[in-house]
Amino acid sequence: MNVLISGAGIAGPTLAFWLERYGHRPTLVERAPGVRTGGYAIDFWGAGFDIAEKMGLTSELDRRGYNIQEVRSVDRSGRRRASFPTSSVARALGGRFVTVPRSELSSLIFDRITGKIETRFGDSITKIEEADGHVRASFHSGYVRNFDLVIGADGLHSGVRTLAFGPELKFERHLGYLVAAFETDGYRPRDELAYVLHTDVGWQVARFAMREDRTLFLFVFADDPENPAIPQELSAQKDLLHERFASGEWECPRILEALDRTTELYFDRVSQIQMGTSPGCWHRGRVALVGDAASCVSFLAGQGAALAMVAAYLLAGELHAAGGDYTRAFERYEARFGPFVASKQRAALRFAGAFVPRSALSLFLRDRIMNAMSIPWIAKFAMGRGLVDKIELPDYADNDTSPPIKR
């Protein structure tokens, strides 16, 4: 089948990889002029790690990623307030855990499909019309073409979802936080292989030392959930960060100085996409959604990229197993992945208050829990259940041999 995929982040290239492997002809379209850079670092583990292994990416992930040794919370003077070694997490996952910049993971996946599929950068889908056994897609560039299927893998603010299912506000649940991230050169101090964060009531700023004398900074702060509008211009985004963090101590003044010099800033709401769990929630006719476009768990879940790879693998596999019956494939994909990702969304909602506490008492308790995580059995008890991904990943064969799905 000729399959148009919108989005060259994580889900889109992963889906293209597997579709091409199964003999289909994917076309990838991306609004940006190239594979996106910047963003934030992610902790990569679980079922997504299994998919990366199937794609032959793990050795490169280890090379490009970071083996963080410590998560450290500091007070306004930079003194350690709470911490725990990440070895407790790594043990619970059998060593299948790495921290990697999201853009590095995206680039790594895209490298696997370069030269194998058609790619259109700097363009986007503006209209979708289904008729006569195909989907007619119109592009911003004026290009028009027919496809067998169209898949929206274009993230939280999916254009395909808007075209096929309706406006974003129908599905987005703003969690009441904003997030921003940027990188800079030559920042001091550096704490190698440590994630250092400073938290006050309603906000957090963190830094992470990267290779080539780069430092990644991450801001998370409480926002009005009833007013999710965010500034679109870079200067306005910087002004808002100055407003919210100017009174912060620790290294906030130096970090804001570095912010002023950057020309690339990731800035967005912390939201989930909730389209329901009923049959057909992620597809309409020959159009379907995958990754954050269908079921964003939010930045706070820490597993969005890995889940996007799992979803893409399952969607491609079910299309292959169904032998062209795309309706059946979409339904089986939803039945396999829907309940699993819904549980991840619920877990993210529970975790939000601990990530950026909204009261002094919550902040105090969060730090006590961090310190307790230094004790291996407590770490295993507290994190073990949440770290295990209980989802079947069929080894899709040439014919449909996967077991039936029970809802």
Side-chain angles (χ1 to χ4, degrees):
M1 291 187 290
N2 291 306
V3 184
L4 175 61
I5 304 169
S6 176
I10 303 295
T14 303
L15 179 62
F17 173 92
W18 289 107
L19 287 177
E20 193 274 338
R21 172 75 62 89
Y22 297 141
H24 299 291
R25 294 180 295 275
T27 297
L28 197 64
V29 59
E30 166 59 49
R31 182 188 306 272
V35 177
R36 294 180 185 269
T37 60
Y40 48 86
I42 59 173
D43 294 328
F44 190 74
W45 82 92
F49 205 102
D50 296 335
I51 304 304
E53 191 169 56
K54 290 175 181 288
M55 296 173 69
L57 303 177
T58 50
S59 60
E60 197 63 15
L61 270 175
D62 287 338
R63 188 179 72 83
R64 297 196 193 188
Y66 298 84
N67 181 22
I68 292 181
Q69 303 295 307
E70 179 190 22
V71 177
R72 183 191 313 158
S73 175
V74 298
D75 64 17
R76 61 188 58 186
S77 300
R79 294 187 296 265
R80 186 189 308 268
R81 187 162 67 184
S83 66
F84 68 91
T86 58
S87 57
S88 56
V89 179
R91 278 196 299 269
L93 293 168
R96 298 166 66 82
F97 174 88
V98 65
T99 298
V100 61
R102 194 178 189 280
S103 58
E104 287 279 345
L105 176 61
S106 177
S107 175
L108 181 59
I109 299 169
F110 190 81
D111 287 347
R112 290 295 191 272
I113 59 174
T114 299
K116 296 181 179 181
I117 71 165
E118 178 185 354
T119 306
R120 297 180 61 88
F121 281 110
D123 208 351
S124 60
I125 305 170
T126 58
K127 190 175 183 180
I128 298 172
E129 301 172 287
E130 185 172 339
D132 302 325
H134 63 257
V135 183
R136 187 173 180 81
S138 302
F139 294 76
H140 184 266
S141 63
Y143 182 67
V144 179
R145 183 171 154 194
N146 294 336
F147 295 89
D148 294 304
L149 303 174
V150 173
I151 309 297
D154 43 353
L156 172 64
H157 307 297
S158 169
V160 171
R161 187 183 61 235
T162 297
L163 290 172
F165 296 86
E168 186 172 286
L169 57 86
K170 290 175 57 179
F171 311 111
E172 181 183 10
R173 179 177 179 180
H174 179 39
L175 302 189
Y177 299 92
L178 299 181
V179 58
F182 75 98
E183 297 177 20
T184 194
D185 291 313
Y187 182 86
R188 295 294 182 273
R190 286 174 63 85
D191 292 86
E192 303 292 342
L193 300 181
Y195 186 80
V196 184
L197 57 97
H198 175 58
T199 310
D200 208 332
V201 175
W203 60 266
Q204 180 183 117
V205 60
R207 59 171 165 81
F208 171 58
M210 303 171 68
R211 298 183 183 93
E212 300 178 357
D213 204 19
R214 302 281 291 173
T215 299
L216 171 68
F217 297 98
L218 181 71
F219 302 89
V220 185
F221 56 102
D223 184 46
D224 181 2
E226 303 301 323
N227 182 27
I230 60 174
Q232 298 301 311
E233 297 296 326
L234 177 62
S235 59
Q237 293 171 355
K238 290 182 177 181
D239 288 344
L240 179 55
L241 291 173
H242 271 278
E243 176 186 331
R244 296 302 300 267
F245 290 89
S247 60
E249 299 188 20
W250 185 50
E251 299 171 13
C252 286
R254 269 178 287 162
I255 294 173
L256 291 175
E257 287 180 8
L259 170 69
D260 289 337
R261 297 190 296 270
T262 193
T263 58
E264 189 171 355
L265 175 67
Y266 171 84
F267 195 107
D268 208 347
R269 296 184 291 271
V270 176
S271 299
Q272 290 187 344
I273 294 298
Q274 299 181 351
M275 300 187 70
T277 57
S278 59
C281 57
W282 296 336
H283 77 274
R284 183 160 296 175
R286 291 175 176 268
V287 180
L289 303 174
V290 70
D292 282 355
S295 56
C296 178
V297 292
S298 87
F299 159 81
L300 298 181
Q303 205 179 0
L307 296 177
M309 294 180 69
V310 173
Y313 173 79
L314 292 174
L315 176 55
E318 293 299 339
L319 284 168
H320 176 57
D325 186 348
Y326 63 87
T327 299
R328 180 167 177 254
F330 289 162
E331 290 174 350
R332 290 167 68 99
Y333 149 66
E334 291 173 359
R336 285 193 186 279
F337 192 65
F340 171 71
V341 78
S343 70
K344 293 291 184 178
Q345 287 187 325
R346 291 191 295 270
L349 293 177
R350 292 192 298 269
F351 181 68
F355 196 88
V356 182
R358 290 179 178 264
S359 71
L361 176 60
S362 296
L363 177 57
F364 174 81
L365 293 175
R366 195 281 306 269
D367 286 346
R368 302 290 77 72
I369 293 171
M370 282 185 66
N371 282 328
M373 295 282 288
S374 299
I375 303 172
W377 71 266
I378 292 180
K380 184 176 181 179
F381 175 79
M383 302 185 69
R385 183 174 61 179
L387 290 174
V388 176
D389 286 346
K390 296 182 179 180
I391 184 170
E392 180 189 11
L393 299 175
D395 188 6
Y396 292 99
D398 289 337
N399 297 313
D400 185 3
T401 58
S402 55
I405 303 298
K406 294 182 179 179
R407 291 189 179 278

